[in-house]
Amino acid sequence: HLYYVNLNHATTEAEMSYLAELDDEDFGNVDALASSIDGNLIYAIDKTTKHMGEYNVSDGTLTDLGQIDPAPNGIVLLAMSTNDILYMASESTDRLYTVNTSTADVTDVGDTGINLSGSDIAFNSDGRLYCWTNNSETGAPAGLYELNTSTGAATIIGEREGGIGFS
C-alpha cells in the first residue's frame, strides 16, 4: 500500500491517508521510496526483485522501469536530490549509488564507511545528503552523518547517545 501524509502546520498534526495499492508482483517488498522534487512522481525499489517503479500521483499509474542494473542487495534507502538525481544506498554493501530514473541504470558513487543497516537518507533544501544510522558495528558511531554525493564518504555531525540525542 502507498500512503501520503498531510501536514497541518497550524496544529502541528499529521494525517496519513491511503493513496494506492502497488498492485504488481514485482513490488511486494518495497523498502525504498523517494518522490520527485515536484511531488508528481514516486520512485520505489523492491528489496527482493530489485525492480524500480515510477508511480504517477496524478493519474495513478505504476510504470515498472525494470530491474536496477547492477543490482546490489539490501536496497532500503532512497532520496531525490534538489537537482533531480536519485540516490540510493545499500545496507548490504554500505555504499552510495545514483540511479538513472529513465533506464534504472545504477552508478556506484562510493563506500560510506559506516554501517547502513537500520538507516535512512534525506536531502535538505540546500542539497546536502544526510544519513541517520542506529548501527555502530563498523566502529563508526551511531548518529547523524552528512554523505558526500561525489565520493559516498560519511562525515559525522552528531553521535547518538542513549536515545535520539547528540553529543
Side-chain angles (χ1 to χ4, degrees):
H1 301 293
L2 190 58
Y3 293 87
Y4 65 94
V5 177
N6 287 321
L7 301 174
N8 184 327
H9 296 286
T11 64
T12 65
E13 294 178 346
E15 178 183 298
M16 188 168 72
S17 301
Y18 177 79
L19 180 63
E21 174 92 24
L22 294 181
D23 204 17
D24 187 304
E25 63 187 31
D26 287 325
F27 298 97
N29 193 18
V30 172
D31 282 346
L33 288 172
S35 75
S36 59
I37 296 302
D38 61 12
N40 291 328
L41 300 172
I42 298 173
Y43 295 96
I45 297 179
D46 187 276
K47 187 176 178 179
T48 306
T49 67
K50 300 180 179 93
H51 275 250
M52 181 168 146
E54 180 183 82
Y55 179 80
N56 185 309
V57 175
S58 299
D59 65 19
T61 58
L62 174 67
T63 303
D64 186 341
L65 300 172
Q67 191 175 52
I68 56 173
D69 182 37
N73 290 324
I75 299 301
V76 296
L77 309 143
L78 203 59
M80 182 67 74
S81 73
T82 54
N83 55 353
D84 269 343
I85 297 172
L86 187 62
Y87 285 82
M88 74 175 188
S90 163
E91 68 179 5
S92 296
T93 66
D94 298 328
R95 298 183 74 80
L96 184 66
Y97 305 87
T98 59
V99 186
N100 182 309
T101 56
S102 298
T103 64
D105 289 339
V106 173
T107 301
D108 186 346
V109 174
D111 188 359
T112 63
I114 60 174
N115 188 321
L116 294 177
S117 181
S119 300
D120 206 352
I121 58 174
F123 279 91
N124 74 357
S125 60
D126 294 331
R128 292 187 173 134
L129 179 58
Y130 292 97
C131 174
W132 174 264
T133 182
N134 287 316
N135 201 318
S136 58
E137 290 179 8
T138 59
L144 184 65
Y145 290 83
E146 183 174 349
L147 299 181
N148 183 309
T149 56
S150 297
T151 67
T155 302
I156 187 77
I157 292 180
E159 287 185 40
R160 180 189 68 168
E161 278 191 11
I164 302 182
F166 298 104
S167 58

